[in-house]
Amino acid sequence: MTMAPPGFAPGSFTAPPLVAGIGCTARAGADEIVALMQTCLAELGFSASGLVALASHARKAGHPGLAAAARHFGVPLLLLPPSRLAPGMPTPSSRVEAAVGVPSVAEAAAAACGKLVLQKRRSAQATCAIALASGPAQSSRAAMAPSMLSASSAGP
């Protein structure tokens, strides 16, 4: 079920572009990240069709679970340096700050890409927050589509 603004008929509303901010440990696998993201999207009443990107801290470059989750949803993985992570998030963590030098990853990465609409939710090894995409993040999926198409039509 997708949340539609008042006045829209069922089926006439297109999900807004969304960015999932992800924080995770080195042990977080793609299945856990994907399940957490789906739970967060369902809590908002959206499907994954509105996702335009996953975002996380730059130190997660090469994290196999994050990369696989982005591939699962067919969206780019945006890795942001600490200077681009949004400050002043609603649920900072002293443990995260001690580990990575910033008080928030999931919320800060999502909020760096748009308006935070879902504060972080946790699983055993990951956190996820959702933002309404704006600016460059909003067009991430559209910009990626031609390369996805050419890669998928390349053959075996």
Side-chain angles (χ1 to χ4, degrees), residues 1 11 17 19 23 42 51-52 58 68 73 99-100 113 122 128 137-138 146 150 154:
M1 177 173 160
V19 173
L51 275 176
V52 296
F73 290 108
V100 297
C113 298
R122 300 174 200 267
C128 176
Q138 188 172 359
S150 64

Short mmCIF file of all heavy atoms in Angstrom, two decimals, residues 1 11 17 19 23 42 51-52 58 68 73 99-100 113 122 128 137-138 146 150 154:
data_model
loop_
_atom_site.label_atom_id
_atom_site.label_comp_id
_atom_site.label_asym_id
_atom_site.label_seq_id
_atom_site.Cartn_x
_atom_site.Cartn_y
_atom_site.Cartn_z
N MET A 1 0.84 -1.18 0.00
CA MET A 1 0.00 0.00 0.00
C MET A 1 0.88 1.24 0.00
O MET A 1 1.80 1.36 0.79
CB MET A 1 -0.88 -0.02 1.23
CG MET A 1 -1.74 1.19 1.36
SD MET A 1 -2.86 0.92 2.75
CE MET A 1 -3.27 2.57 3.07
N GLY A 11 -4.11 4.38 -6.97
CA GLY A 11 -3.45 3.97 -8.20
C GLY A 11 -2.93 5.13 -9.03
O GLY A 11 -2.23 4.92 -10.02
N PRO A 17 10.58 9.91 -4.71
CA PRO A 17 11.94 9.35 -4.69
C PRO A 17 12.48 9.30 -3.27
O PRO A 17 12.40 10.28 -2.53
CB PRO A 17 12.73 10.33 -5.56
CG PRO A 17 11.97 11.61 -5.51
CD PRO A 17 10.52 11.23 -5.32
N VAL A 19 15.61 7.87 -0.48
CA VAL A 19 16.98 7.41 -0.24
C VAL A 19 16.99 6.70 1.10
O VAL A 19 16.46 7.22 2.09
CB VAL A 19 17.99 8.58 -0.23
CG1 VAL A 19 19.37 8.09 0.19
CG2 VAL A 19 18.05 9.25 -1.58
N GLY A 23 23.58 2.31 7.99
CA GLY A 23 24.75 2.14 8.83
C GLY A 23 24.83 0.65 9.12
O GLY A 23 23.80 -0.02 9.23
N ALA A 42 7.96 -0.38 4.34
CA ALA A 42 6.60 -0.80 4.67
C ALA A 42 6.02 0.05 5.80
O ALA A 42 4.84 0.39 5.78
CB ALA A 42 6.59 -2.28 5.05
N LEU A 51 12.66 3.83 -4.31
CA LEU A 51 14.07 4.00 -3.96
C LEU A 51 14.88 4.51 -5.15
O LEU A 51 14.77 3.96 -6.24
CB LEU A 51 14.69 2.67 -3.50
CG LEU A 51 14.51 2.29 -2.05
CD1 LEU A 51 15.11 0.91 -1.81
CD2 LEU A 51 15.14 3.30 -1.12
N VAL A 52 15.68 5.52 -4.91
CA VAL A 52 16.58 6.02 -5.95
C VAL A 52 18.04 5.81 -5.58
O VAL A 52 18.91 5.89 -6.44
CB VAL A 52 16.33 7.52 -6.29
CG1 VAL A 52 14.94 7.70 -6.88
CG2 VAL A 52 16.54 8.42 -5.09
N ALA A 58 31.51 6.92 3.74
CA ALA A 58 32.54 6.55 2.75
C ALA A 58 33.41 5.39 3.21
O ALA A 58 33.92 4.62 2.38
CB ALA A 58 33.42 7.77 2.44
N ALA A 68 25.70 -5.44 -2.37
CA ALA A 68 24.69 -6.41 -2.81
C ALA A 68 23.28 -5.89 -2.59
O ALA A 68 22.39 -6.12 -3.41
CB ALA A 68 24.90 -7.73 -2.08
N PHE A 73 18.19 -3.80 -5.16
CA PHE A 73 17.17 -2.79 -5.44
C PHE A 73 17.41 -2.07 -6.77
O PHE A 73 16.59 -1.27 -7.19
CB PHE A 73 17.09 -1.78 -4.30
CG PHE A 73 16.50 -2.36 -3.04
CD1 PHE A 73 17.30 -2.61 -1.94
CD2 PHE A 73 15.16 -2.68 -2.96
CE1 PHE A 73 16.76 -3.14 -0.77
CE2 PHE A 73 14.61 -3.22 -1.80
CZ PHE A 73 15.42 -3.45 -0.70
N ALA A 99 33.31 4.62 17.07
CA ALA A 99 33.78 3.69 16.03
C ALA A 99 34.14 4.39 14.72
O ALA A 99 35.13 4.03 14.09
CB ALA A 99 32.71 2.63 15.77
N VAL A 100 33.34 5.38 14.30
CA VAL A 100 33.56 5.96 12.97
C VAL A 100 33.80 7.46 12.97
O VAL A 100 34.03 8.05 11.93
CB VAL A 100 32.41 5.62 11.98
CG1 VAL A 100 32.31 4.14 11.75
CG2 VAL A 100 31.09 6.19 12.43
N CYS A 113 20.85 13.56 1.73
CA CYS A 113 20.26 13.39 0.40
C CYS A 113 18.85 13.94 0.30
O CYS A 113 18.25 13.91 -0.79
CB CYS A 113 20.25 11.91 0.02
SG CYS A 113 21.89 11.19 -0.08
N ARG A 122 16.61 -0.35 13.67
CA ARG A 122 17.75 -1.24 13.87
C ARG A 122 17.40 -2.70 13.60
O ARG A 122 16.30 -3.14 13.85
CB ARG A 122 18.23 -1.17 15.31
CG ARG A 122 18.68 0.16 15.78
CD ARG A 122 18.98 0.10 17.28
NE ARG A 122 18.96 1.41 17.87
CZ ARG A 122 20.01 2.18 18.03
NH1 ARG A 122 21.18 1.77 17.62
NH2 ARG A 122 19.90 3.36 18.58
N CYS A 128 18.82 1.65 9.46
CA CYS A 128 18.29 2.23 8.23
C CYS A 128 17.43 3.43 8.58
O CYS A 128 16.65 3.38 9.54
CB CYS A 128 17.44 1.18 7.48
SG CYS A 128 16.64 1.81 5.98
N ALA A 137 20.56 13.41 -5.57
CA ALA A 137 20.10 12.07 -5.18
C ALA A 137 18.78 11.72 -5.84
O ALA A 137 18.53 10.57 -6.17
CB ALA A 137 19.95 11.99 -3.66
N GLN A 138 17.93 12.72 -6.08
CA GLN A 138 16.62 12.50 -6.68
C GLN A 138 16.74 11.92 -8.07
O GLN A 138 15.92 11.12 -8.49
CB GLN A 138 15.83 13.80 -6.71
CG GLN A 138 14.40 13.64 -7.12
CD GLN A 138 13.62 14.92 -6.96
OE1 GLN A 138 14.14 15.94 -6.53
NE2 GLN A 138 12.36 14.89 -7.31
N PRO A 146 20.33 4.21 -18.06
CA PRO A 146 20.95 3.80 -19.32
C PRO A 146 22.09 2.80 -19.14
O PRO A 146 22.21 1.85 -19.89
CB PRO A 146 21.46 5.12 -19.93
CG PRO A 146 20.62 6.17 -19.30
CD PRO A 146 20.32 5.66 -17.92
N SER A 150 22.13 -0.99 -20.64
CA SER A 150 23.16 -1.50 -21.53
C SER A 150 23.87 -2.69 -20.90
O SER A 150 24.23 -3.64 -21.59
CB SER A 150 24.16 -0.41 -21.90
OG SER A 150 24.86 0.03 -20.77
N ALA A 154 23.65 -6.80 -22.42
CA ALA A 154 24.93 -7.17 -22.98
C ALA A 154 25.01 -8.66 -23.33
O ALA A 154 25.88 -9.07 -24.07
CB ALA A 154 26.07 -6.81 -22.01
#
